Amino acid sequence: MTPANPQLSTASRPRVGIPWRTSHEEANRMTNKLQYYVDAVTFAEGEPVPLSLQLSAKDLAAQIKDLDAFVLPGGPADVNPAL
């Protein structure tokens, strides 16, 4: 896939945070599923920013303050929709 507008500079693209799906995938650098989200954000003319699940609250806050949006990837665990 190629972005809809490859001429758009990285500086003008929205920065989109994408957390790893699981700590296991992050620790083992299993990027095959994360890559789908990275590719989708790139195709939508965004700048994907993978977010570590291992960051402290302070470090995460510092990293996300410059983001424009988030993608929340699915994971292998079911979450109660009421939550």
Side-chain angles (χ1 to χ4, degrees):
M1 282 193 277
T2 58
N5 184 357
Q7 303 302 318
L8 193 61
S9 75
T10 302
S12 61
R13 294 180 181 193
R15 293 175 41 89
V16 181
I18 309 170
W20 283 81
R21 289 174 8 102
T22 67
S23 296
H24 174 76
E25 288 178 7
E26 181 179 2
N28 293 289
R29 307 304 293 173
M30 299 166 66
T31 61
N32 55 328
K33 293 180 181 173
L34 181 69
Q35 192 62 46
Y36 291 119
Y37 297 98
V38 169
D39 291 345
V41 168
T42 301
F43 184 74
E45 299 182 358
E47 179 187 346
V49 179
L51 299 172
S52 173
L53 299 175
Q54 308 303 316
L55 294 175
S56 69
K58 180 180 177 183
D59 290 340
L60 180 59
Q63 187 172 7
I64 67 173
K65 70 178 179 67
D66 294 324
L67 298 178
D68 300 299
F70 294 93
V71 170
L72 300 178
D78 286 333
V79 175
N80 181 338
L83 300 175

